[in-house]
Amino acid sequence: MIARRTLLAAAALPLAAPALAQISASRPLRLIVPNPPGGQSDTIARLYGEAIQATSGQAVVIENRSGANGLIAMDTVAKATPDGLTTGLFSITLFTSLPAMMARMPLDVDQDVLPITSVVTSTTLCCVRADRAEQRGWTDFGAMLDWARRPGNELTNGAASSGGASHLLTATIARRSGASILVVPYRGGAPALNDLLAGNIDMAFDFMPALLPHVAAGTLKPMAVGSRARVPFLPDVPGLGEFASHGIGEIDLQSWNILAGPAGLSPELAERTVELLRRAAAHPGLEDRLRANGLLPLPPLDPAATRARILADRPRWREMVEISGARIE
């Protein structure tokens, strides 16, 4: 699935930094995202594309290439000319958990693409229908796990995909807490949410943009976020660290997004990209718009620091893959 949209600059602004001087206003940046329009990566790309345009006068083309668990988009970036004009926005899972799940990867995430910089971080949110929580006495996430520990009780969790963040996190919580939780994989978050709202499943542990409107309406009750600590835009929702007595206090699902380019990208062009992101991150209003979508901006890292963080994250993601038993042939 390929969709393309262009964010056109109203007026080109002067580019002060030497690293930015190579940008040609007649050649837009091409930003590849691995999801259809409206998905989380697409939302991030759109917000940052507008901020890049506003702060650097640079047009940005957002190109949606969905499918194959993000590998179609990554392959597009890997095969692009390393001229600094083509980058891709990818979840950390493409560099950590996906290679552990796939029997054969069509590309090498360590050799074929260059992680350039960090962009945003996010976590998941567990929601249940408010009326079901009341009926079953689920006053908080711990009470829900206690219910699922009792003989004959089982929670059903709707996951946006098999092997995705929701699947891996829920399987890990079930293993460590002793709660009986059946993961029901869907083809996307929307059908899982529809079944949650219809009462066909008990819970959904998913990324926040689609869930938050129903929380605001009172239809869904937020039970916990997938990170160890609470997040600033949901201060009343506990983090998993608050349920140490249930064996899950050390679980911390922090997903983050990476801007990556072709492996042959020069250090100078990589630094130019980091500077573009640094300027965009400081654009007034961007952080508020990100928070409204359950996202937090990250300070842009350089390529070496970005790769180091990927390597540091791999063990915990791969442990969740092992616990879940998720495999992709």
Side-chain angles (χ1 to χ4, degrees):
M1 178 179 186
I2 302 175
R4 181 176 289 185
R5 291 170 298 152
T6 306
L7 302 170
L8 297 175
L13 303 178
L15 306 178
L20 298 180
Q22 302 173 56
I23 295 177
S24 167
S26 63
R27 300 181 67 193
L29 301 180
R30 182 185 179 211
L31 181 52
I32 311 296
V33 295
N35 305 109
Q40 178 161 289
S41 294
D42 180 73
T43 298
I44 298 166
R46 174 173 51 82
L47 293 176
Y48 271 88
E50 291 171 357
I52 289 171
Q53 169 188 301
T55 56
S56 299
Q58 179 69 42
V60 179
V61 173
I62 297 173
E63 190 171 314
N64 301 86
R65 287 184 172 260
S66 59
N69 300 288
L71 291 174
I72 291 175
M74 185 172 278
D75 184 65
T76 301
V77 171
K79 293 176 178 176
T81 303
D83 56 7
L85 294 175
T86 299
T87 56
L89 183 69
F90 302 111
S91 166
I92 180 64
T93 57
L94 269 78
F95 295 87
T96 55
S97 60
L98 186 62
M101 284 187 285
M102 293 198 71
R104 178 177 296 181
M105 285 282 287
L107 53 79
D108 188 328
V109 297
D110 291 324
Q111 299 295 326
D112 297 335
V113 293
L114 173 71
I116 300 171
T117 189
S118 52
V119 184
V120 299
T121 185
S122 60
T123 189
T124 53
L125 176 66
C126 176
C127 285
V128 300
R129 273 183 38 154
D131 57 352
R132 183 164 298 181
E134 184 176 358
Q135 292 163 6
R136 294 184 174 175
W138 296 341
T139 54
D140 62 19
F141 191 65
M144 187 169 70
L145 292 179
D146 288 337
W147 180 90
R149 284 168 157 175
R150 297 175 196 145
N153 289 346
E154 182 177 62
L155 291 167
T156 50
N157 174 75
S161 63
S162 178
S166 176
H167 181 182
L168 301 183
L169 176 62
T170 308
T172 303
I173 290 171
R175 167 76 68 87
R176 295 190 179 177
S177 69
S180 179
I181 307 177
L182 174 66
V183 177
V184 182
Y186 289 80
R187 292 187 175 181
L193 176 58
N194 289 338
D195 264 6
L196 176 65
L197 293 170
N200 296 327
I201 54 175
D202 295 314
M203 58 183 278
F205 233 129
D206 210 345
F207 292 101
M208 298 186 190
L211 298 172
L212 291 177
H214 301 283
V215 171
T219 308
L220 296 181
K221 177 177 180 176
M223 305 299 284
V225 294
S227 55
R228 184 180 302 146
R230 300 188 181 206
V231 294
F233 40 82
L234 289 174
D236 297 327
V237 181
L240 296 181
E242 297 175 45
F243 302 99
S245 62
H246 291 77
I248 61 172
E250 295 303 310
I251 299 176
D252 188 18
L253 191 145
Q254 288 285 343
S255 182
W256 52 293
N257 288 80
I258 297 162
L259 200 68
L265 195 67
S266 70
E268 293 77 17
L269 291 175
E271 172 55 32
R272 186 194 75 179
T273 303
V274 174
E275 179 61 24
L276 281 173
L277 264 289
R278 189 174 288 118
R279 287 181 169 216
H283 183 56
L286 176 63
E287 183 168 347
D288 288 342
R289 296 179 72 187
L290 289 170
R291 284 173 179 253
N293 285 279
L295 305 162
L296 289 172
L298 287 172
L301 300 173
D302 62 32
T306 303
R307 187 176 292 279
R309 184 173 174 183
I310 290 171
L311 295 177
D313 268 7
R314 274 186 178 158
R316 66 187 182 92
W317 283 98
R318 292 185 172 183
E319 180 187 14
M320 290 193 289
V321 170
E322 183 178 351
I323 289 171
S324 72
R327 292 292 181 268
I328 300 173
E329 298 299 329

